Amino acid sequence: METGNLPPAFKSKFTFYMAVCWIIAAFGGLMFGYDIGISGGVTAMDDFLIGFFPEVYERKRHAQENNYCKYDNQLLQLFTSSLYLAALLASFIASKVCTVAGRKWTIRWASLLFIAGAVLTAGGVNKIMLIFGRILFGIGVGFGNEAVPLFLSEVAPPKHRGAVNILFQLFVTIGILIANIVNYFASKKHPWGWRLSLAIAAAPAIVLLLGSFYITETPTSLIERGKHEKGKAVLKKIRGVNDVDDEFDQIVRASEIAHQVKHPFKKLMNLSSMPPLIIAILLQVFQQFTGINAIMFYAPVLFQTVGFGNDAALLSSVITGLVNVISTLVSILLVDKVGRRVLLIEACFQMFITQSIIGGILHAHLKSYSDTLGHGQAILVVLLVCVYVMGFAWSWGPLGWLIPSETFPMETRTAGFAFAVSSNMLCTFLIAQAFLSMLCHMRAMIFFFFAGWIVVMGLFAFFLLPETKNVPIDLMVERVWKQHRVWKKFMVDDNQSGIEAGR
Ligand code: BGC
């Protein structure tokens, strides 16, 4: 596949300051991950239900459960998922804030909103406070997920951009793991354990807030807002060299084109904007249809289904959480060497095979409601889940965020990326909302359902996804989209009609 993979010409050296900026920004990922990991656990805690949803608690106590139909309450799930709806809408506002006020300010707002969410929910005394707090959490996630991946991709040197951007996902996975462990201990503290779980959400946000006074604004954002001198100085500081002229000139050129576009969202609807937009949306939709959050949200339920007790089930989900973190490191090491495509396509094989075998085992052995798996079979299922998570963690997990953050030209970058964030939130919401009912109706077939999606996304990655490894972020149009066998057909008249339509 043609990609225009020319070697990067820009000079850079590793600097300590830059590395600290990467780590601070990645705490935005920790906020997101902590929330993914915490929600299911908190709403399952009896003290929480008795205090706020007593009717749900009563029904839960008398609910008829079986292997596939665990207790399922749409209202409670909607409460959990309201965060994703808030984040979905917030990402579009965040895109505007990112352009007008910069990435750094958007990150600061994300942390403030998240802290407010933690205070309101952890100190909640009625449903209104809880729901309002949940919405603030959601807006914080929307702001953070919009700004952090863009920040990381823009400050990273081209040849390490993949690795640097994946710090976001690495921190997402660490957040999920910490949340699982916190929930495990908090659930044993009566009656306030759930408050502790929610209060701890403020910790990464406080680090991010304080850190936002230390980190730099991205040169791209400074230059885009006309602060050329400062942009150049920052570029020198983060690249650790004085000779940054080539890179600076190229950002200035990209920003001149960007300035001709007055309405980025309108411009996004042009034919020439379709390739990165389609890719950004599909990567996120596919990321969710790997079924990963069915595993992440419901790992304890799933492991109970295959015959583990309460504590053993939680422990198994801590193990999958660890596998998730460690395998993300593999992606950091490989993404700028083997490229994005190889990781995505390899993982499809791995995830397809494991999902199909899990489906097969459950279909064969969990037929009636009273069946349980044998000890050996249950362990096998946990192992297969680990291999599946491994595949996801070094491919569709991180690359679902990386590729959309590096493929839009400057004029549509924040607007286009908002579509990626909101597609993620919408699909996460849909899966969170539907999974337990789907499991109940489709039983083991649900694994084949996700395996089917994995075939589709593998074909998509093979035929339609260009390689973006090593290409400077502001040269994607020339070196990637205009070179690609299929997508170059969309890139007609980019200079005239494209910009015109966005005015
Ligand atoms: C996804 C989340 C998922 C997480 C798992 C992220 O990239 O967006 O939905 O729970 O990875 O590690």
Side-chain angles (χ1 to χ4, degrees):
M1 197 136 302
E2 335 87 297
T3 55
N5 241 347
L6 305 179
F10 308 143
K11 301 191 180 71
S12 67
K13 272 201 325 234
F14 178 83
T15 65
F16 178 73
Y17 173 67
M18 200 57 260
V20 176
C21 289
W22 297 339
I23 305 282
I24 290 174
F27 267 82
L30 220 152
M31 291 187 337
F32 177 42
Y34 188 83
D35 194 87
I36 293 173
I38 211 77
S39 1
V42 166
T43 49
M45 291 183 199
D46 287 348
D47 295 320
F48 175 82
L49 290 178
I50 294 167
F52 298 96
F53 297 90
E55 60 297 343
V56 173
Y57 176 70
E58 272 312 306
R59 267 185 279 144
K60 179 184 166 193
R61 284 202 326 148
H62 300 110
Q64 288 253 320
E65 295 194 346
N66 62 55
N67 270 331
Y68 292 105
C69 300
K70 292 288 159 192
Y71 182 67
D72 158 26
N73 181 282
Q74 289 288 326
L75 196 76
L76 196 62
Q77 264 168 263
L78 188 64
F79 167 75
T80 308
S81 321
S82 59
L83 178 144
Y84 298 98
L85 290 181
L88 188 163
L89 297 174
S91 62
F92 289 103
I93 303 170
S95 105
K96 191 77 190 159
V97 181
C98 248
T99 307
V100 176
R103 299 9 172 184
K104 190 161 112 163
W105 266 100
T106 318
I107 290 177
R108 190 168 299 159
W109 270 107
S111 60
L112 282 168
L113 289 156
F114 208 81
I115 293 170
V119 171
L120 265 187
T121 50
V125 289
N126 53 41
K127 271 190 204 153
I128 308 265
M129 279 176 84
L130 285 183
I131 292 174
F132 200 57
R134 200 85 202 125
I135 292 175
L136 286 176
F137 265 143
I139 306 179
V141 166
F143 271 58
N145 284 22
E146 169 78 14
V148 172
L150 286 179
F151 174 92
L152 291 171
S153 282
E154 285 179 346
V155 294
K159 60 175 187 279
H160 299 303
R161 189 178 55 243
V164 172
N165 180 284
I166 293 176
L167 288 174
F168 171 75
Q169 173 73 9
L170 180 69
F171 276 57
V172 171
T173 60
I174 295 175
I176 296 176
L177 179 65
I178 294 177
N180 280 334
I181 297 171
V182 168
N183 263 353
Y184 178 74
F185 289 107
S187 65
K188 299 188 190 309
K189 302 275 173 234
H190 301 289
W192 46 268
W194 63 272
R195 291 190 192 272
L196 179 70
S197 292
L198 289 166
I200 292 178
I206 291 172
V207 176
L208 193 65
L209 176 63
L210 297 178
S212 75
F213 291 94
Y214 177 79
I215 61 175
T216 171
E217 178 54 274
T218 73
T220 311
S221 173
L222 289 166
I223 295 167
E224 193 183 14
R225 287 180 290 136
K227 302 179 180 177
H228 287 211
E229 283 307 304
K230 192 149 183 225
K232 192 165 195 175
V234 167
L235 201 55
K236 287 183 183 168
K237 189 169 177 191
I238 65 175
R239 294 288 179 257
V241 292
N242 275 328
D243 180 10
V244 292
D245 291 350
D246 288 345
E247 187 170 3
F248 176 74
D249 291 346
Q250 178 245 303
I251 302 179
V252 170
R253 269 199 305 279
S255 94
E256 278 160 5
I257 299 181
H259 276 139
Q260 297 174 43
V261 174
K262 295 282 173 291
H263 304 290
F265 282 101
K266 220 159 128 193
K267 164 87 168 98
L268 260 186
M269 298 303 132
N270 282 0
L271 195 60
S272 63
S273 298
M274 285 301 134
L277 185 63
I278 293 173
I279 298 274
I281 294 177
L282 283 184
L283 276 173
Q284 286 287 3
V285 172
F286 288 152
Q287 185 205 59
Q288 291 305 312
F289 279 86
T290 55
I292 186 66
N293 279 327
I295 305 275
M296 288 295 145
F297 292 155
Y298 302 109
V301 178
L302 206 74
F303 289 133
Q304 275 170 44
T305 306
V306 297
F308 285 91
N310 246 336
D311 272 9
L314 248 150
L315 195 71
S316 318
S317 52
V318 168
I319 294 173
T320 41
L322 261 176
V323 170
N324 197 12
V325 175
I326 293 166
S327 313
T328 308
L329 290 171
V330 174
S331 187
I332 292 187
L333 292 176
L334 291 183
V335 70
D336 294 309
K337 297 196 177 75
V338 302
R340 287 66 168 145
R341 284 168 46 83
V342 169
L343 290 175
L344 291 170
I345 295 166
E346 182 281 334
C348 282
F349 284 103
Q350 195 169 325
M351 293 190 294
F352 176 79
I353 294 169
T354 44
Q355 292 264 29
S356 306
I357 304 179
I358 297 172
I361 295 178
L362 299 194
H363 186 65
H365 299 286
L366 279 191
K367 279 212 161 51
S368 89
Y369 290 151
S370 51
D371 284 346
T372 49
L373 290 185
H375 187 63
Q377 285 162 338
I379 298 225
L380 181 62
V381 169
V382 173
L383 282 179
L384 286 164
V385 168
C386 287
V387 179
Y388 160 82
V389 170
M390 249 180 228
F392 174 87
W394 61 53
S395 61
W396 293 82
L399 301 185
W401 297 103
L402 166 64
I403 298 175
S405 76
E406 65 181 8
T407 42
F408 285 98
M410 198 190 288
E411 59 271 25
T412 49
R413 190 169 301 148
T414 60
F417 195 66
F419 277 91
V421 179
S422 51
S423 306
N424 176 284
M425 297 301 156
L426 181 66
C427 296
T428 310
F429 166 77
L430 290 176
I431 301 248
Q433 203 62 31
F435 178 73
L436 283 186
S437 325
M438 280 168 77
L439 184 67
C440 182
H441 292 115
M442 296 172 72
R443 303 172 168 215
M445 286 300 151
I446 193 147
F447 291 95
F448 298 115
F449 169 79
F450 288 126
W453 276 96
I454 288 168
V455 174
V456 177
M457 62 189 83
L459 293 172
F460 156 82
F462 186 77
F463 289 108
L464 291 175
L465 192 79
E467 181 57 66
T468 44
K469 159 183 95 162
N470 282 347
V471 182
I473 190 165
D474 287 304
L475 291 178
M476 289 289 165
V477 171
E478 292 304 319
R479 291 204 194 165
V480 173
W481 301 117
K482 287 189 177 172
Q483 312 293 329
H484 189 271
R485 192 166 42 85
V486 175
W487 299 117
K488 68 180 174 200
K489 301 193 183 105
F490 289 70
M491 304 310 290
V492 282
D493 243 4
D494 189 46
N495 291 336
Q496 287 95 45
S497 65
I499 291 170
E500 290 292 326
R503 272 197 184 135

